[in-house]
Amino acid sequence: MPVFVGACAAPRPLMTTASAQDPLTRVTGAAILDSSAAPTRLLVAQRAYPEKLRGLWEFPGGKQDPGEGAEEALVRECGEELGVTVRLLDEVPAPNPEGWPLKGTAVMRVFTAVVTDDREPAAGEDHLQLRWVALDNPAAILDLDWIPADLPIVRALLEQLAVVGTTTAGPENSGVGTALSGPLIADAAHTGAPVTGTADTGVPRSRTSHSGR
């Protein structure tokens, strides 16, 4: 299984590097799982801004900087947005090599990932809250109010993880979210309640997540 932990690793051949002359706005997103071997939960993030996207759900991530590869950008973004180090696993196959179409000329590449340090993801100014959603209830995941451009990616992710069409039994699985309680460590199960972020109510920083949407 391909992995990528930091900027020092050599990029894979298909990981296009953004440049100042690139006509596309290149965005990366992380589908963070609670385990690489047998995932049961997916981390989702609720947007804080801009106003038209406030309250909608998305994959954490953001834009590639000029000269930066997709994997390198995503590792950096997860550190900046969530305060954690991630190990990238597999790319969610997109309709074309450039990635999933967003607004205008923006495209996004999404990778599954796990957290590799002993910190738990924290919602910063980009997000109102983070939430773990159970993969054994795909209908509940799809029922979340996703950013429209992300919804086909969610469907593709569920198909990739082979959970579409599964059923959920028992009252314990009736909700759509679980707690982030305690450190998030790759390949460990996690339970708890959503973490509410401390979104900045002032002027947002110039670097915005998924700015093509």
Side-chain angles (χ1 to χ4, degrees), residues 44-48 54 57 81-82 120-131 180 193-201:
V44 296
Q46 190 177 41
R47 281 293 289 265
R54 184 178 176 85
W57 295 89
E81 283 192 2
L82 308 177
E120 64 181 47
E125 63 186 39
D126 288 336
H127 299 117
L128 299 174
Q129 65 170 312
L130 305 177
R131 181 179 297 180
L180 278 178
V195 168
T196 300
T198 54
D200 189 353
T201 56

Side-chain angles (χ1 to χ4, degrees), residues 6 41 49 51 74 76 90 119 135 141 149 161 193 198 213:
R41 294 179 177 86
Y49 62 83
E51 189 60 35
L74 188 51
R76 173 183 56 76
D90 297 307
R119 295 171 291 179
L135 289 170
I141 297 176
L161 297 175
T198 54
R213 288 181 281 184

